[in-house]
Amino acid sequence: MHGNLNGAGRGRRTAVSSVDFYRRVPKDLTEATSLGAAMSLCAMFLMAVLFSAETFAFAKSKIYTEIALDDNTAPQIQLNFNVSLFALHCDYVSVDVWDVLGTNKQNVTKNVEKWQTDENGIRKTFSGRNRETREVRYEEHEETLAELHENGVHVTELDEPGHFAEFMAEHEMSMVNFYAPWCMWCQRLHPTWEKFAEEIEDEEMPVGVANVDCVKHLELCRKEGIQAFPSLRWYEAGKFMEPGYKSDRTVAALVSFAKRKLELNEKFKDWSTKDKTKTKSHYRELYNTPENPGCQVSGTLMVNRVPGNFHIEAKSKNHNLNAAMTNLTHRVNHLSFGAQGKNPSRQVKRALKQVPESLQQFTPLDNTMYPTKNFHEAFHHYIKVVSTHLNLGSGSNRYPTLYQFLQQSQIVQYDVNNVPEARFSYDLSPMSVVVEKSGRKWYDYLTSLSAIIGGTFTTLGLIDAVLYKVFKPKKL
């Protein structure tokens, strides 16, 4: 009975052992050699190198891109801009928007901020936010200019070269109207200006009143920096006392302005006698702060997702611009599209750290200078906007759409009668870029490790066998 049981147990063990893939060779049948030891060390070294390389590749993800149709259905896109103009006053800066759907917005002020800047583009004086330009009030007269001249011409017309310097030498205090004959605002001002000069004479105020035709005296007006017509300026001892006159263009307003200037001058004389340490020029500097020549304009615009442009143009409700003096040298401090282009969230910033710089063309125009050396020219910028979607692993839906763009800029020449503009033309691509992150699966990693161990062991085992056959000493 016991014999049958033992025989059955041995039979089962023999059946199980027959499927053993890892059968052992008795130790006394194996032979250790120096060649085998060297090959074993090579195998271990090679396995370690390949294991490290495979582990590093498994731990590191790969960023790649795909091109797909843009499925963004939002009707509008946010445009963020910050531009410094070095030779255009904020009073004359207008931001206009146009697109192929018929949008034509003039002098946009909503979400637009302006700062007066110095000649280096450094911000000096806040010029307003969401502020509409005040419309200057004019005065209507029953008499024509010819009728007003019947009792004499009271305004001095500086119509000959050298007259301006002579007039300044004759009058310690004066007010000059720089105009152009074709300017409609200048034509409306002429009767008021004549009555103002007559009122100055009637009240015996020590003020000279003059006109300068900037069409005839182009060089003089360029020297004085006249950018718009009419430009009304107050001079003391031949020096322009900034800022220029910007109030209503009525006789009463002009006379009141002249009186205030005279009273201020009398105060200087009184103060200079009381305090000998402070001269008249000292006080005059305090009360005549120079205006800054440039303007920094910034803000956000909601524009339709169709081809269009926004442009910065010299324009005014109360003036005609002098095209010959409009210099649109500018620096693009910032230009981007989308809410994340201006102030990206912390999540977006962290995600972009994984993305190569070549795939982050969100602000290629930033801090770029575009100088114009001649009049009647300006830079135009052409922009192709491409939507960018980030799919960087789990939670990728949290990332908002970003916008990259390519740009090309060139100088455009203008007719002598047209006012130049800094134009930014944009067009949105129907395709989008999808940025994705790919990583290896854990089972792929384990399979590779098994292949490395098994492949290395087998390959070096074959090499060892061949070398052993070749170098084995032959028996005699």
Side-chain angles (χ1 to χ4, degrees), residues 32-44:
T33 63
S34 300
L35 178 61
M39 297 304 294
S40 297
L41 291 175
C42 291
M44 287 188 290

PDB file of all heavy atoms in Angstrom, residues 32-44:
ATOM      1  N   ALA A  32      34.101  27.329 -14.056  1.00  0.00           N
ATOM      2  CA  ALA A  32      34.343  28.772 -13.989  1.00  0.00           C
ATOM      3  C   ALA A  32      35.644  29.114 -14.700  1.00  0.00           C
ATOM      4  O   ALA A  32      36.661  28.455 -14.468  1.00  0.00           O
ATOM      5  CB  ALA A  32      34.396  29.227 -12.536  1.00  0.00           C
ATOM      6  N   THR A  33      35.577  30.148 -15.569  1.00  0.00           N
ATOM      7  CA  THR A  33      36.765  30.560 -16.309  1.00  0.00           C
ATOM      8  C   THR A  33      36.972  32.056 -16.154  1.00  0.00           C
ATOM      9  O   THR A  33      36.046  32.818 -15.814  1.00  0.00           O
ATOM     10  CB  THR A  33      36.614  30.224 -17.807  1.00  0.00           C
ATOM     11  OG1 THR A  33      35.519  30.975 -18.334  1.00  0.00           O
ATOM     12  CG2 THR A  33      36.341  28.730 -18.011  1.00  0.00           C
ATOM     13  N   SER A  34      38.176  32.490 -16.425  1.00  0.00           N
ATOM     14  CA  SER A  34      38.476  33.933 -16.388  1.00  0.00           C
ATOM     15  C   SER A  34      37.690  34.677 -17.461  1.00  0.00           C
ATOM     16  O   SER A  34      37.221  35.808 -17.259  1.00  0.00           O
ATOM     17  CB  SER A  34      39.982  34.155 -16.576  1.00  0.00           C
ATOM     18  OG  SER A  34      40.715  33.522 -15.546  1.00  0.00           O
ATOM     19  N   LEU A  35      37.563  34.067 -18.638  1.00  0.00           N
ATOM     20  CA  LEU A  35      36.791  34.689 -19.713  1.00  0.00           C
ATOM     21  C   LEU A  35      35.337  34.874 -19.300  1.00  0.00           C
ATOM     22  O   LEU A  35      34.723  35.918 -19.532  1.00  0.00           O
ATOM     23  CB  LEU A  35      36.888  33.831 -20.981  1.00  0.00           C
ATOM     24  CG  LEU A  35      36.088  34.334 -22.197  1.00  0.00           C
ATOM     25  CD1 LEU A  35      36.575  35.716 -22.619  1.00  0.00           C
ATOM     26  CD2 LEU A  35      36.192  33.336 -23.353  1.00  0.00           C
ATOM     27  N   GLY A  36      34.767  33.868 -18.656  1.00  0.00           N
ATOM     28  CA  GLY A  36      33.377  33.966 -18.201  1.00  0.00           C
ATOM     29  C   GLY A  36      33.199  35.052 -17.171  1.00  0.00           C
ATOM     30  O   GLY A  36      32.192  35.771 -17.160  1.00  0.00           O
ATOM     31  N   ALA A  37      34.196  35.191 -16.270  1.00  0.00           N
ATOM     32  CA  ALA A  37      34.126  36.248 -15.262  1.00  0.00           C
ATOM     33  C   ALA A  37      34.151  37.632 -15.926  1.00  0.00           C
ATOM     34  O   ALA A  37      33.401  38.544 -15.552  1.00  0.00           O
ATOM     35  CB  ALA A  37      35.278  36.097 -14.266  1.00  0.00           C
ATOM     36  N   ALA A  38      35.026  37.797 -16.914  1.00  0.00           N
ATOM     37  CA  ALA A  38      35.113  39.084 -17.614  1.00  0.00           C
ATOM     38  C   ALA A  38      33.795  39.393 -18.333  1.00  0.00           C
ATOM     39  O   ALA A  38      33.292  40.532 -18.307  1.00  0.00           O
ATOM     40  CB  ALA A  38      36.274  39.065 -18.591  1.00  0.00           C
ATOM     41  N   MET A  39      33.220  38.395 -18.997  1.00  0.00           N
ATOM     42  CA  MET A  39      31.958  38.596 -19.693  1.00  0.00           C
ATOM     43  C   MET A  39      30.832  38.893 -18.711  1.00  0.00           C
ATOM     44  O   MET A  39      29.913  39.680 -19.001  1.00  0.00           O
ATOM     45  CB  MET A  39      31.619  37.374 -20.540  1.00  0.00           C
ATOM     46  CG  MET A  39      32.624  37.082 -21.655  1.00  0.00           C
ATOM     47  SD  MET A  39      32.861  38.476 -22.776  1.00  0.00           S
ATOM     48  CE  MET A  39      31.259  38.590 -23.533  1.00  0.00           C
ATOM     49  N   SER A  40      30.878  38.280 -17.527  1.00  0.00           N
ATOM     50  CA  SER A  40      29.858  38.552 -16.509  1.00  0.00           C
ATOM     51  C   SER A  40      29.936  40.006 -16.035  1.00  0.00           C
ATOM     52  O   SER A  40      28.917  40.684 -15.852  1.00  0.00           O
ATOM     53  CB  SER A  40      30.034  37.604 -15.322  1.00  0.00           C
ATOM     54  OG  SER A  40      29.850  36.261 -15.729  1.00  0.00           O
ATOM     55  N   LEU A  41      31.164  40.488 -15.818  1.00  0.00           N
ATOM     56  CA  LEU A  41      31.330  41.901 -15.417  1.00  0.00           C
ATOM     57  C   LEU A  41      30.832  42.847 -16.509  1.00  0.00           C
ATOM     58  O   LEU A  41      30.176  43.866 -16.228  1.00  0.00           O
ATOM     59  CB  LEU A  41      32.795  42.178 -15.097  1.00  0.00           C
ATOM     60  CG  LEU A  41      33.353  41.500 -13.840  1.00  0.00           C
ATOM     61  CD1 LEU A  41      34.855  41.766 -13.721  1.00  0.00           C
ATOM     62  CD2 LEU A  41      32.623  41.990 -12.597  1.00  0.00           C
ATOM     63  N   CYS A  42      31.159  42.516 -17.772  1.00  0.00           N
ATOM     64  CA  CYS A  42      30.659  43.335 -18.891  1.00  0.00           C
ATOM     65  C   CYS A  42      29.139  43.331 -18.931  1.00  0.00           C
ATOM     66  O   CYS A  42      28.494  44.356 -19.185  1.00  0.00           O
ATOM     67  CB  CYS A  42      31.219  42.812 -20.211  1.00  0.00           C
ATOM     68  SG  CYS A  42      32.993  43.075 -20.409  1.00  0.00           S
ATOM     69  N   ALA A  43      28.539  42.136 -18.681  1.00  0.00           N
ATOM     70  CA  ALA A  43      27.088  42.043 -18.700  1.00  0.00           C
ATOM     71  C   ALA A  43      26.461  42.904 -17.613  1.00  0.00           C
ATOM     72  O   ALA A  43      25.483  43.621 -17.834  1.00  0.00           O
ATOM     73  CB  ALA A  43      26.664  40.580 -18.551  1.00  0.00           C
ATOM     74  N   MET A  44      27.030  42.854 -16.411  1.00  0.00           N
ATOM     75  CA  MET A  44      26.485  43.663 -15.303  1.00  0.00           C
ATOM     76  C   MET A  44      26.630  45.164 -15.592  1.00  0.00           C
ATOM     77  O   MET A  44      25.718  45.960 -15.319  1.00  0.00           O
ATOM     78  CB  MET A  44      27.193  43.285 -14.005  1.00  0.00           C
ATOM     79  CG  MET A  44      26.781  41.919 -13.465  1.00  0.00           C
ATOM     80  SD  MET A  44      27.444  41.586 -11.820  1.00  0.00           S
ATOM     81  CE  MET A  44      29.190  41.385 -12.215  1.00  0.00           C
TER      82      MET A  44
END
